[in-house]
Amino acid sequence: MAGRGGGRGRGRTNMTFNLEDLGIGRGEALPPTAVKPTPLFPPMTAQAVPLQTGEEVEYMLALKQELRAACKTLPFYIRRAAPRKDVVRYSDKYHKGEPRDNTIEWSPDWSRLPKELCIKVRKSQRKAGPVCPPQVKAVKKSIMEKEEVLSKLETLEKKEEMAVNSGDEDEEEKKKTNEEEEQVEEEELDEEDLEEETDYIMSYFDNGEDFDIDSDDNIDEAVY
Amino acid sequence: MTLQEARLCGLLLQEHFGEVVEKVGTHLLRSGAQNLRTIVHETGTPLDLVKKSLCVLMQHGACGFSAGRRGGPGGPVQEYQASGERVLRVLRYPRYIYTAKTLYGDTGELVVEELLQRGHMTMSATVKAVADRLTLNMEEGKSMEYGEVTEAFSKLVETHFLQRCPPVSEKTPATPSSNQSGGGGGAAPAGPGGPAAAAASTAPPTPESFPDCYKVPPVRLVGRGKRRRSSDDGGGDGEQRNGKKARVETEAHGDEGIYWQVNFERFHLHFRDQAIISAVASKLDQTSSEIVRTMLRMSEVTTPPAAVCTQALSANEIFRSLPPNYSISRAILDQYLTLLVDDPMEFVGKSGDSGGGMYVVNLHRALSNLARATLESVVQERFGSRSARIFRLLLRKRHLEQKQVEDFAMIPAKEAKDMLYTLLSENLVQLQEIPKTPDHAPSRTFYLYTVNQLSTARMLLQHCYKTVANLIDRRLFETKENKRLLEKSQRIEAILASLQASGADDEQLQEVKEMITAPEEQQLEALRHHINKLDSTENQVDETIFLLESYVNSTATASR
């Protein structure tokens, strides 16, 4: 306290080092205190040196851009599967190229990877032999179940025979592991004839259910 | 893994493998080794996507697995750890490919490119893929022989640019079998580890610890590249043969399980040698750089990668190994060598007098000098040549007081003080206190300015990582801003291409081209120019990163 009282008499501040050493002379105005953070893009005091140019540089630039573009087409570029739509649509048949979460697009050497990473290889690209028997069976079962449920829901209004047929055909499709794409497509074409979604074929058969459906729409209006 | 490195790794993973892999990869990089369930739980990604990402990362060598310490009820749990260093190499891919092109031509370039894109592949798969690609670019009716590609592949393996992937050891230590893969016609043991008994050691075995690392399997690949044709073309015989070959190709070629990957360390040694040679060329002259190039070439196989200097070479040997078009006399060679030894950069040192003088190339010192030159040029470009003079002075004289700095640098006091404080605030220069009295009174303490080269190099290296990350960010931003325009131009190009393929006349082509208005065309041009500039800058910053990284690594190994 004695020091503080004495300091008041001597000068403004009393610090442990000599203020002149810092370059702030007596009586000089101090720079204004900063009231906001430094700007995000401070003005550049010196311009950057221009980039190198030349054949080598251009070639490496082209290489880099090509590599980047090529990466997107390789199977190593993992995209999330699109979320399941609410209804099964006709165009889904033509969007088969989209990824599904539980399949892998390429077949790595499973002997070099730990067993727990084993994942089913995408059917359209599988070459020879089942990949990982235990995992694939488990996955296949769940797929079979899902397919059965879906097909049953779809064919609730059909005749019993048709429901059994499409259920059987779905199971067959999933069981075959070494099938080529053409055969799969042929099976699906057969299914088209039996499924109710394509009205063209079904129109040959008219079971009379559509006759009175429209009549309920005009209850309030008079019928002329 | 520093913050900047992790951020850069994340951006690189995102660009090359997508967001899912990026999420998993950055999580692994930040949290160290983890097992599968923890990863799934903490990233919130579905299990299948995590499995896919780990497979991708392992395919490219960016992730490894080992038995964890904690054993669950089902046995030891596998833990996965990512390697940030490997991910950062992705930045250097164009340089690797270009080097392969200069050394081994187009074939070598494509081999390295295929291996870099796919991570690791068997030799037969690589040869086929490269032959197909080469055939695509050749004239009609011609195709590439597998033999030529195999030759290029073997040359790359001989010079150690490609190496075999180390075989993966099972969880239970297998019986240490001796590596007989060479004699078995290429059927290498894919499972059990080599005689190194890698399961017992904690450190992952380097590819070089396996004796067959650089042995080409005796695979007979006969055939030609296939040209993938969308429309039916002529060239009947070639097609016939290729058609038959396509069915034959599904057979195994006898080298299953032997995977090859690019040997980055060898490429780095090559880059280091190139940097030294070009430094000598620019400091002295072409002939001295040729002499240094000869010396480095001679000691390529005898010098271990982490050596401080090459093996001693006698002047007689150097004279005999000089390239034939550089016919200088023996006396002149001796003069050049003396000049090189006396040069303050100390690239070449004299280690003895036998055989006409024994000379070594000081690798570590050369790297150190190159790093120092980089630091000095950074200071010069950012703060001016007078600050650079102060910086160089401090590098040379180690510790100086403020008054001494002003005197030696011959700069007026006020400006010198200003510059010093600017450098200090940027952390390029440090203050060292030396107290005269035990109570550290400021008026009785020496304050010395000093520059610590190694820590300044590390700091600049982090700045470089941050720079590249910012560049990538900016490029993604620019692309996103102009996405609509880019998509439109892509669609129009596709339309143009299909029109030209089906033989439309010029009027229709002109009409389609006019779908892009002139200001849009300008905007597109400006966008392309910006993106090219940003890409090119990334490549050049990577060169600085390489230099600084080599210096830091070399100092770390030299001091051990």
Side-chain angles (χ1 to χ4, degrees), chain A residues 35-200:
Chain A
V35 292
K36 53 187 177 184
T38 48
L40 190 55
F41 294 105
M44 282 209 314
T45 45
Q47 276 293 330
V49 177
L51 290 174
Q52 292 169 355
T53 49
E55 204 186 299
E56 200 179 305
V57 173
E58 308 274 338
Y59 193 79
M60 290 219 281
L61 173 67
L63 269 176
K64 188 183 177 85
Q65 293 181 332
E66 268 171 30
L67 265 178
R68 224 177 23 236
C71 275
K72 301 255 183 340
T73 61
L74 284 177
F76 305 120
Y77 197 91
I78 310 279
R79 298 175 174 88
R80 276 181 198 262
R84 282 190 185 276
K85 300 196 197 57
D86 43 358
V87 232
V88 178
R89 290 172 199 273
Y90 179 80
S91 59
D92 282 349
K93 250 198 296 281
Y94 297 101
H95 286 320
K96 275 223 174 317
E98 277 181 10
R100 285 167 51 192
D101 262 354
N102 54 353
T103 56
I104 200 171
E105 313 270 328
W106 48 289
S107 61
D109 186 359
W110 296 111
S111 59
R112 290 182 69 90
L113 300 172
K115 288 204 183 62
E116 61 183 359
L117 286 188
C118 203
I119 192 168
K120 181 175 147 184
V121 179
R122 191 141 171 248
K123 187 166 60 160
S124 58
Q125 294 189 11
R126 244 189 276 154
K127 295 280 162 112
V131 182
C132 290
Q135 204 82 3
V136 164
K137 274 190 203 140
V139 175
K140 262 195 288 190
K141 267 188 211 152
S142 62
I143 288 182
M144 265 164 49
E145 286 171 11
K146 268 188 244 171
E147 279 289 339
E148 283 184 34
V149 169
L150 268 177
S151 62
K152 275 182 191 152
L153 282 174
E154 283 168 7
T155 59
L156 267 178
E157 297 173 16
K158 279 196 219 165
K159 293 178 184 172
E160 235 178 327
E161 296 164 344
M162 296 205 173
V164 170
N165 274 345
S166 50
D168 280 347
E169 285 200 14
D170 282 336
E171 288 181 32
E172 276 181 289
E173 204 178 65
K174 295 303 165 199
K175 271 181 197 156
K176 285 181 193 164
T177 56
N178 290 341
E179 210 142 295
E180 292 184 15
E181 275 193 64
E182 296 151 5
Q183 288 186 20
V184 171
E185 276 169 20
E186 277 171 24
E187 278 192 17
E188 291 174 7
L189 280 171
D190 288 335
E191 281 181 32
E192 254 185 62
D193 296 340
L194 301 167
E195 279 180 8
E196 208 178 65
E197 290 174 302
T198 57
D199 294 335
Y200 302 115

Side-chain angles (χ1 to χ4, degrees), chain B residues 96 103-104 156 158-162 208 214 263-273 300:
Chain B
Y96 297 138
L103 291 175
Y104 295 106
L156 279 165
E158 265 172 41
T159 43
H160 293 208
F161 281 109
L162 299 178
E208 310 233 318
Y214 299 112
N263 183 3
F264 295 118
E265 288 309 315
R266 180 68 184 88
F267 274 104
H268 293 168
L269 292 179
H270 181 84
F271 294 158
R272 179 199 68 188
D273 293 346
E300 240 171 29

Side-chain angles (χ1 to χ4, degrees), chain B residues 516-527:
Chain B
I516 299 193
T517 63
E520 276 184 349
E521 188 67 46
Q522 273 182 349
Q523 211 180 335
L524 263 179
E525 204 39 56
L527 174 68

Side-chain angles (χ1 to χ4, degrees), chain B residues 8 62 274 345 350 352 386 422 471 512 550:
Chain B
L8 178 57
Q274 265 186 332
M345 290 295 252
K350 189 163 184 183
R386 296 210 283 179
T422 320
L471 286 167
V512 172
S550 309

